[in-house]
Amino acid sequence: MSDPDAIDCHAAADQLYEYLDGELSPTVESQIRAHLADCAPCFGLFDFEETYLRFLEARTRAQGAPAHLRRRILDELFQHPEQPPRS
Amino acid sequence: MSQPPSPDREGFEREALVHLDAVYRTALRLSGSPMEAEDLAQETMFKAFRGWHQYEAGTNAKAWLLTILRNTFINRYRRTKQRPEMVDITEIEPYTVFHDVQDASPAQTFFDRLVDDEVLRAIDALPEDFREVLVLSDVEGLTYAEIAASIEAPVGTVKSRLFRARQLLQRELYDYAVEAGYIEQRRDRP
Ligand SMILES: [Zn+2]
């Protein structure tokens, strides 16, 4: 009955972030996907951590460079192209 | 020997300057100061312009720029490139707040209550080694291999630092959210 490729909760949790980051081989990834389909506690954990990572990205990327910085860099680099700036 | 050609304005804007926001943001997280961040971002772009011939077309230009930024930051503050692991912190038992949140408030509430500044402050309070990998991965989206190349460490080190950084930050944010009254504390915790 038992699938020789099946992994347990411990093995799944060990590879939690590698799974969410898309850093696993297709084989291991599908083993974990199979485990998550069968195991509600692990599914809940993975779902929570995925929400957490999306939340981090959403809360940290609004900040951009000030407009004057971009202008200054372009001016320095291309106003006098024969003399690249030495910083 | 003639200098290799510099990129034209259009090419440089399209390939490099398009990542100025990412470079500035990361400089801000590394240095903690908007003035320093502007300086670091500008120097990074100048170095990228001068070293354009070293950029391998088709590779991740953002990862390349963030590596230049890191080296610029290290040189400027005379930091050592390889820092010893901070034993006391890396030995902290990682601990997801998933179970606490599940038993008290819905997970969505926890994440929805926190605003940008609160999250950025918590990231800035992380130890430097952890902050660095978390920013490169979770803010800027670099792969493990790109981060490993950038910080000159093995992929295994990136994985373990990233794991601890995420769990440490999660715990900080959770404790903060409880303290601020955003969410209820799990009942059986002291
Ligand atoms: Zn399980």
Side-chain angles (χ1 to χ4, degrees), chain B residues 15 52 54-60:
Chain B
E15 301 284 337
W52 192 248
Q54 290 165 329
Y55 168 64
E56 292 174 50
T59 62
N60 187 347

Side-chain angles (χ1 to χ4, degrees), chain A residues 5-7 11-12 15-37 46 50:
Chain A
D5 287 337
I7 55 163
Q15 300 173 94
L16 164 71
Y17 287 136
E18 282 161 272
Y19 177 81
L20 296 177
D21 291 332
E23 295 270 356
L24 292 172
S25 68
T27 313
V28 181
E29 198 177 295
S30 67
Q31 285 172 344
I32 292 186
R33 200 178 305 115
H35 180 80
L36 295 180
F46 275 61
E50 190 177 16

Side-chain angles (χ1 to χ4, degrees), chain A residues 41-84:
Chain A
C42 281
F43 180 85
L45 172 65
F46 275 61
D47 188 48
F48 174 78
E49 293 291 335
E50 190 177 16
T51 307
Y52 168 58
L53 296 184
R54 277 204 307 263
F55 149 86
L56 280 186
E57 193 184 351
R59 293 291 184 281
T60 53
R61 293 179 60 118
Q63 218 161 27
H68 65 257
L69 177 61
R70 184 189 160 81
R71 171 101 346 255
R72 195 166 71 214
I73 290 169
L74 281 172
D75 285 353
E76 291 276 350
L77 289 177
F78 297 103
Q79 295 291 42
H80 312 285
E82 68 283 354
Q83 288 178 329

Side-chain angles (χ1 to χ4, degrees), chain B residues 65-91:
Chain B
L65 290 165
L66 293 179
T67 302
I68 297 175
L69 168 67
R70 179 178 188 266
N71 291 335
T72 305
F73 175 72
I74 287 171
N75 290 338
R76 180 170 299 191
Y77 297 98
R78 299 175 196 282
R79 306 279 177 112
T80 52
K81 270 196 169 187
Q82 306 286 354
R83 289 180 295 270
E85 291 277 344
M86 283 163 290
V87 177
D88 51 335
I89 288 155
T90 51
E91 278 176 358

Side-chain angles (χ1 to χ4, degrees), chain A residues 8-9 35 39 42:
Chain A
D8 62 11
C9 296
H35 180 80
C39 178
C42 281

Side-chain angles (χ1 to χ4, degrees), chain B residues 123 130-139 162 165-166 169:
Chain B
I123 291 175
F130 291 156
R131 186 168 71 236
E132 179 172 82
V133 291
L134 185 123
V135 165
L136 293 178
S137 169
D138 295 344
V139 184
L162 187 56
R166 284 168 171 175
L169 178 64

